[in-house]
Amino acid sequence: MEGVRLFSNHELFSNIEDGENLQLFEQGHRTAHKQETHTLEAVQLVEFNLKQVLIKLVTHLFGDGLEIRWVDCYFPFTHPSFEMEINFQGEWMEVLGCGVMEQQLVNSAGAEEKIGWAFGLGLERLAMVLYDIPDIRLFWSEDERFLKQFSVPHIDQKVHFQPLSKYPPLINDISFWLPSEKYSENDFYDLVRTIGGDLVEKVALIDEFTHPKTKKVSHCYRITYRHLERTLTQLEVHHLHRAIEESAVQELGVEGRF
């Protein structure tokens, strides 16, 4: 996670009437809304603070009047967990993941008397959206044609990205049934980047289908492959795409439709 905030008992309840009678911790039961070690009051305040801070962050990046919604989700290090989505250019887009930190993780860092939240977001992906940059690999390139476009005298100056010439892309789709739980789109994106490396230009979810009888959910992703210095062959991409299919089944537990 890229951002973490921790609260002591006094800090969290300082602005609450009769807050001195409230506690961070209890010996309870884990539910969809809280961990077994947290009181409901503490979790509700932490969640409120988390969402208010992140709304201000995203509003600063994308501007006022932004339509925002929160989606319940799963992350291994937080509970409850959420994804923030914004309505950008007429479409809903996932921006970041966040949640109340698992108390065991906080305790292992030596902060047993505190409770906290955490969030993570892909800065490169947000920059791609804001500046209409088609290829994430440009962020670690040393191409002056790209770098000079962002050498501006003031941080608030508007930048209009000018595309660079490229070799032709090869586009392959991949479809699979999702496992019953604990699937995250970000895990698949990470898997594709890990296997495809610099040859993957873009990964996008293009279709979602729910079977009317089994209620199983299927995702279809479009992967754009492109080499920065030469033309790729279909045979090269075929071997790479096949490796992604096999790894998705083995590591993410999906059921292939390929």
Side-chain angles (χ1 to χ4, degrees):
M1 288 289 186
E2 292 177 338
V4 173
R5 184 171 184 179
L6 298 174
F7 299 90
S8 67
N9 199 71
H10 172 71
E11 291 169 328
L12 188 59
F13 300 122
S14 60
N15 295 322
I16 304 299
E17 185 176 353
D18 296 326
E20 64 274 6
N21 297 321
L22 299 176
Q23 299 296 323
L24 297 180
F25 305 109
E26 68 174 6
Q27 293 300 319
H29 299 282
R30 177 172 290 240
T31 69
H33 305 290
K34 74 178 205 67
Q35 298 172 39
E36 59 273 20
T37 57
H38 296 159
T39 65
L40 184 59
E41 296 85 359
V43 170
Q44 289 176 335
L45 286 172
V46 169
E47 179 183 329
F48 177 79
N49 181 266
L50 162 66
K51 291 180 176 180
Q52 291 300 305
V53 170
L54 296 183
I55 286 173
K56 291 179 180 178
L57 168 64
V58 176
T59 300
H60 177 75
L61 292 174
F62 288 88
D64 295 328
L66 198 63
E67 189 177 359
I68 297 172
R69 69 184 183 188
W70 297 94
V71 180
D72 294 338
C73 65
Y74 166 82
F75 296 115
F77 305 115
T78 57
H79 180 79
S81 302
F82 315 96
E83 285 182 345
M84 174 195 281
E85 296 182 351
I86 64 172
N87 195 324
F88 184 71
Q89 297 180 344
E91 295 185 358
W92 285 101
M93 179 182 73
E94 184 267 321
V95 175
L96 57 82
C98 61
V100 179
M101 295 177 66
E102 287 283 357
Q103 194 58 39
Q104 184 178 2
L105 182 63
V106 178
N107 294 348
S108 68
E112 296 88 346
E113 302 303 318
K114 293 181 180 289
I115 182 175
W117 54 254
F119 75 96
L121 75 167
L123 293 176
E124 294 93 345
R125 191 169 67 86
L126 292 185
M128 292 175 70
V129 172
L130 287 168
Y131 300 110
D132 199 23
I133 298 172
D135 190 342
I136 194 172
R137 295 169 297 179
L138 289 170
F139 289 103
W140 54 81
S141 77
E142 297 181 0
D143 192 324
E144 285 297 319
R145 295 174 299 168
F146 175 74
L147 299 177
K148 286 182 177 179
Q149 295 188 41
F150 297 90
S151 297
V152 293
H154 194 277
I155 192 173
D156 292 324
Q157 180 175 328
K158 296 295 183 181
V159 174
H160 299 283
F161 173 70
Q162 300 297 318
L164 311 179
S165 61
K166 291 189 177 73
Y167 292 89
L170 288 176
I171 298 173
N172 285 20
D173 294 346
I174 178 172
S175 299
F176 47 74
W177 297 106
L178 306 189
S180 58
E181 59 182 13
K182 295 185 178 180
Y183 173 81
S184 169
E185 286 182 36
N186 290 331
D187 290 339
F188 178 69
Y189 296 145
D190 289 343
L191 182 146
V192 173
R193 296 291 181 192
T194 298
I195 296 175
D198 289 349
L199 297 184
V200 174
E201 176 180 296
K202 183 178 180 181
V203 188
L205 176 65
I206 61 171
D207 186 57
E208 183 173 348
F209 168 74
T210 302
H211 195 285
K213 293 184 178 179
T214 66
K215 303 304 179 183
K216 294 175 65 175
V217 178
S218 171
H219 278 187
C220 179
Y221 295 88
R222 178 155 294 165
I223 305 176
T224 302
Y225 302 91
R226 194 194 312 251
H227 200 290
L228 287 173
E229 300 175 349
R230 63 177 176 86
T231 300
L232 285 173
T233 67
Q234 186 61 59
L235 182 60
E236 288 178 289
V237 170
H238 172 76
H239 290 307
L240 192 58
H241 198 73
R242 184 59 182 166
I244 291 173
E245 292 174 342
E246 293 175 353
S247 294
V249 172
Q250 295 171 3
E251 298 183 27
L252 302 183
V254 305
E255 181 183 343
R257 301 181 67 189
F258 29 82

